[in-house]
Amino acid sequence: MFSALLIEKGETGQTVSLTRLDEADLPDGDVGIEVEYSTLNYKDGLAITGASPVVRSFPMVPGIDLAGVVTDSAHADWHKGDRVVLNGWGVGENHWGGLAQRARLDGDWLVPLPPAFTARQAMAIGTAGYTASLCVGALLEHGVRPEQGEILVTGATGGVGGVAIALLTKAGFTVAAATGNASQAEYLQQLGAVSVLDRAEFSEPGRPLQKERWAGVIDSVGSHTLANACAQTRYGGTVAACGLAQGMDFPASVAPFILRGVSLLGIDSVRAPRTVRTTAWDRLARDLDVDALEAIAQEVGLSEAIAAAGRLMEGEVRGRVVVDVNRWTFQPLSPSAVQPFSRSAVQPFSRSALQPFSPSALQPFSREHREQA
């Protein structure tokens, strides 16, 4: 038996709970894993809260990330005792994920845990940090260099933003961080941001072409923010888009692309091949200051992950949430956990269940009782 978060869907909607499962319940896969740590990403928040229908089948164990140890393997690349990391591949959406003490996965989805990181540190990075590394790699491969000007990072206090700032700073770039939380300015500066901007500068409709400001952009927000970032990118600059925190829409014009030669690169972290993933993790192991992870990450136990997901969706979480799946307690029943009345649950009347009347069960009359009445 093992502990896990389980999302179920019934006639009254979606529910999520901490529960105990049998290893026989695990889905098909050629590698078994003892999970040490998982994490909460924006997509996990959507899945756990039900804010968006990202879960494709039920019941589902959420968690698009995990780090742990191989317990058994029928895959040629993995053996018992190997330390591995999983990011994406539809895990937590179509296949049971990492917010559990056990997992069974396709070995093609796994990458080795870099020796530079512990399992906890790898999950402090998680899909968000791995995606940030993909974005930084895309800018570098597209020819963006520090001497060309500032790099804008939107959604800066999020998981992608924090790791992106740290990696860009290590690579010698000057970074401007856009956030809606001015109180986090010192935190962003500690990560390496030279300037901190109010996200309101980017979140409303703007002109198709604006003053040229950025040699490159890493955007995890989408919508008007991405459109304005493109409109402010310098001639020949590059924008890496990897998220949709503000929205899936892109209310922009072609002007930045055909008049300034701006390149817009889409960054996919879910289905990237292993070679691309390994390169991204190698960059993280080489360039990411482990001390920065302590500033970026906070830890919760498995039993606290449901509440943490709600805070994440409310924008109350800074950086990354690491989940220790081996730290949990079952909570007492709360009113919200009470199931609605179901007529099918009512037991049929049984005459045999009636108790026969007994005169000895009657209490003798007492004047004292009468006066109290």
Side-chain angles (χ1 to χ4, degrees):
M1 299 290 288
F2 64 96
S3 296
L5 295 191
L6 190 68
I7 302 174
E8 299 177 279
K9 191 171 185 179
E11 294 180 359
T12 59
Q14 175 179 304
T15 61
V16 58
S17 61
L18 175 63
T19 189
R20 297 284 286 172
L21 299 171
D22 192 280
E23 293 201 25
D25 297 326
L26 290 168
D28 292 338
D30 52 12
V31 179
I33 298 172
E34 180 181 346
V35 183
E36 295 177 312
Y37 287 91
S38 184
T39 182
L40 289 176
N41 295 279
Y42 186 74
K43 186 177 287 186
D44 298 317
L46 293 174
I48 292 170
T49 63
S52 180
V54 297
V55 176
R56 307 301 182 188
S57 64
F58 297 88
M60 177 60 59
V61 173
I64 68 173
D65 289 325
L66 64 82
V69 180
V70 173
T71 57
D72 61 275
S73 174
H75 192 284
D77 293 344
W78 307 109
H79 304 89
K80 183 177 180 179
D82 288 344
R83 304 185 70 80
V84 294
V85 174
L86 180 282
N87 308 111
W89 288 114
V91 171
E93 302 173 72
N94 304 305
H95 189 100
W96 283 16
L99 288 169
Q101 294 175 307
R102 297 288 185 274
R104 182 161 291 280
L105 303 168
D106 186 326
D108 289 340
W109 300 343
L110 303 173
V111 297
L113 174 67
F117 299 128
T118 65
R120 184 187 185 281
Q121 290 168 340
M123 289 297 94
I125 296 167
T127 283
Y130 146 68
T131 301
S133 183
L134 291 175
C135 290
V136 172
L139 293 186
L140 293 171
E141 290 166 11
H142 219 69
V144 181
R145 296 294 179 265
E147 62 271 16
Q148 295 171 350
E150 284 186 285
I151 306 297
L152 172 68
V153 176
T154 66
T157 55
V160 173
V163 177
I165 292 169
L167 290 176
L168 288 166
T169 300
K170 179 71 173 182
F173 287 95
T174 301
V175 181
T179 178
N181 193 342
S183 66
Q184 299 299 324
E186 183 178 355
Y187 158 74
L188 295 171
Q189 289 164 350
Q190 288 175 347
L191 292 176
V194 172
S195 58
V196 178
L197 308 175
D198 189 336
R199 71 181 179 195
E201 294 184 30
F202 306 93
S203 59
E204 299 298 327
R207 289 176 287 120
L209 280 178
Q210 302 171 37
K211 181 180 178 181
E212 297 181 50
R213 302 175 68 181
W214 319 115
V217 177
I218 294 179
D219 175 70
S220 60
V221 179
S223 192
H224 292 292
T225 298
L226 177 57
N228 285 317
C230 289
Q232 296 176 13
T233 300
R234 293 181 176 183
Y235 189 92
T238 302
V239 178
C242 66
L244 44 69
Q246 186 180 9
M248 290 185 66
D249 57 325
F250 181 44
S253 78
V254 298
F257 313 116
I258 64 173
L259 298 179
R260 290 182 180 166
V262 171
S263 298
L264 177 59
L265 308 179
I267 306 300
D268 168 52
S269 63
V270 176
R271 296 188 298 170
R274 188 188 293 178
T275 54
V276 174
R277 292 168 181 265
T278 302
T279 299
W281 276 100
D282 286 346
R283 177 179 295 104
L284 289 160
R286 182 184 68 244
D287 295 343
L288 186 61
D289 185 350
V290 174
D291 291 337
L293 292 177
E294 294 304 317
I296 291 170
Q298 55 185 287
E299 183 179 311
V300 299
L302 185 60
S303 56
E304 303 165 296
I306 297 174
R311 295 194 299 272
L312 177 66
M313 297 309 297
E314 293 297 323
E316 298 173 1
V317 173
R318 183 187 82 179
R320 304 281 296 128
V321 179
V322 177
V323 181
D324 181 351
V325 299
N326 296 299
R327 178 161 65 86
W328 53 270
T329 55
F330 283 97
Q331 302 297 321
L333 183 68
S334 66
S336 61
V338 177
Q339 298 298 313
F341 169 78
S342 170
R343 187 174 299 277
S344 62
V346 177
Q347 298 299 314
F349 169 77
S350 171
R351 187 176 300 277
S352 62
L354 294 177
Q355 298 298 316
F357 169 74
S358 171
S360 63
L362 293 177
Q363 298 297 317
F365 173 78
S366 166
R367 182 177 301 276
E368 179 182 358
H369 291 163
R370 180 180 178 183
E371 290 172 353
Q372 290 175 349

